[in-house]
Amino acid sequence: MGGMTDLLSPAEPKAASPGGRQVSLVIAGVTAAVWAVAVGLIAITAVALIAWSTDGRSTSPAAAVLRMAAEVWLLANGTPLRVGGSPFALVPLGLTALPAYLLARAGASLARTVGVADVRGVGRATVALAGSYAVIAVVVTGPAGAAHAGATPLWAFLAAGVIATVCGGLGVLQGAGLWPSVWRALPEWARLAVHGGVLAVLIVLAGAALLAGGALAIHGAEAGTVLRASGPGVVGALVLLVISLAYLPNAVVWSAALVTGPGFAVGTGTAVSAFGVRLGPVPALPLLAALPGTAPRWLPAVLLLPAAGGLLAGALVGRRQHGAPLRRVLGTGLATGCAAGLVMGLLCLAAGGQAGAGRLATVGPSAWRVSLMFAAEVALPAMAAAWWTARHGRGRRT
């Protein structure tokens, strides 16, 4: 147990003396990045090797399995791949949670190791961690390369650098204990807008998850048919199940885009929205069996969910701005809608991408359309609810 605990916890070497502080930061950043990469690769490789070793029909050598694990790790970090000569950039958000968590842990450990005490130190530590992580990702593209697949080193550097900057930076803030002070440094209206916007997003995501889960339950027989038709055997069925679970968060975000209005595409020329469904052939994945063949008559009613999220977010804003000038209250309600649209747009951007060449070049929601639509759907009810609550409700100032 002790060895496993040591593996899952980043090493925290003693900080160097003041004269060697810069070297200490670089070494600690590299160490934290190596730990995050190593644990992520080990976890993915272990699953791949278990599936390979238990599949008696597999003729692939162990080296090919290790190469596939490296490719999956790169994809989880947002790096587009070349599969069979075709681009593949549909990131499994369920799997991306692994490097995100590991980077946050590594960032917190790094902050404690080098004694980060201010925002400037947070920036330096984040750069040390993210830069090291991005360079290691470039190194991983070597073992991940093959005649039929691979990743571009530049894309690996950029994608891994972005996720390491965001997740690792948040971890550094947490580890340094600076998150509360940074949050309090924001203006009150900005804090309220973020609170309200995130609340609206969570409400829509919860409703979208129920909608997607209900659709999958209704079409469970079709999902079983897809699974049996692929004829993968027990091991293959488990692999398909793992793939479906990895893309389940993507499906929830797609469902949220449907609830918002614009919907999503499963190939060029297709559309699944609150106003209609137009589909062609789709990949044979059990998760996609939940796609409706036609739009139910009640489907436009899902557009009420973003408005409900906006009302609740506006009530929160108005309650905490009781007695404030009308202009400030309405402005905060508008900012709440903008924050909600920005968050939802980023989620849609992460949940979509190319799944191949040809018609699969367009898969997922349009981030900018969903962002603009959701911002408007949340902002108007939020402004109305904020005005009413600030004028008639009981106040609670932050």
Side-chain angles (χ1 to χ4, degrees):
M1 286 297 294
M4 181 61 70
T5 303
D6 294 339
L7 175 64
L8 296 179
S9 300
E12 296 185 14
K14 295 181 179 179
S17 61
R21 189 169 298 161
Q22 184 65 34
V23 175
S24 175
L25 175 60
V26 173
I27 295 176
V30 172
T31 302
V34 169
W35 175 85
V37 173
V39 175
L41 277 173
I42 289 172
I44 294 174
T45 303
V47 174
L49 286 176
I50 290 173
W52 170 75
S53 62
T54 55
D55 188 1
R57 300 178 304 170
S58 176
T59 58
S60 300
V65 179
L66 297 177
R67 183 167 57 245
M68 182 190 68
E71 293 169 356
V72 171
W73 182 87
L74 288 169
L75 183 63
N77 281 273
T79 304
L81 300 177
R82 297 185 309 276
V83 180
S86 300
F88 188 90
L90 190 60
V91 178
L93 296 183
L95 195 56
T96 300
L98 175 62
Y101 169 75
L102 293 175
L103 282 165
R105 288 279 307 272
S109 173
L110 176 61
R112 293 189 292 266
T113 298
V114 300
V116 174
D118 52 28
V119 175
R120 183 179 179 182
V122 170
R124 294 172 57 203
T126 301
V127 169
L129 173 60
S132 303
Y133 193 85
V135 170
I136 298 173
V138 172
V139 175
V140 175
T141 60
H148 64 285
T152 304
L154 178 59
W155 269 115
F157 181 87
L158 295 176
V162 168
I163 189 173
T165 299
V166 175
C167 300
L170 291 175
V172 171
L173 269 176
Q174 181 187 19
L178 295 175
W179 177 254
S181 60
V182 171
W183 177 251
R184 287 193 299 268
L186 296 176
E188 182 191 25
W189 67 267
R191 298 198 304 270
L192 290 175
V194 172
H195 267 145
V198 171
L199 174 63
V201 170
L202 291 177
I203 290 172
V204 169
L205 287 177
L210 290 175
L211 181 64
L216 190 58
I218 292 172
H219 295 87
E222 289 89 334
T225 300
V226 171
L227 189 61
R228 288 189 298 271
S230 60
V234 176
V235 175
L238 290 176
V239 171
L240 281 180
L241 178 61
V242 171
I243 292 174
S244 297
L245 290 176
Y247 281 105
L248 191 58
N250 299 64
V252 172
V253 175
W254 293 11
S255 183
L258 170 66
V259 168
T260 302
F264 57 91
V266 193
T268 304
T270 66
V272 180
S273 73
F275 308 104
V277 176
R278 186 175 67 254
L279 283 176
V282 297
L285 283 176
L287 191 62
L288 296 180
L291 292 173
T294 58
R297 293 183 178 180
W298 53 264
L299 195 57
V302 300
L303 296 175
L304 296 175
L305 190 57
L311 288 173
L312 292 175
L316 172 68
V317 168
R319 184 184 178 191
R320 297 188 177 182
Q321 286 193 318
H322 182 72
L326 177 62
R327 182 177 180 180
R328 183 189 303 173
V329 173
L330 294 180
T332 306
L334 178 61
T336 297
C338 294
L342 177 61
V343 173
M344 187 63 77
L346 291 174
L347 288 175
C348 290
L349 184 65
Q354 280 186 287
R359 65 183 305 275
L360 291 179
T362 304
V363 177
S366 169
W368 71 269
R369 288 176 180 168
V370 174
S371 180
L372 291 178
M373 179 73 78
F374 191 61
E377 291 171 340
V378 171
L380 295 177
M383 293 170 68
W387 168 78
W388 177 266
T389 308
R391 184 174 179 180
H392 301 285
R394 296 179 61 183
R396 178 186 167 192
R397 301 301 299 272
T398 55

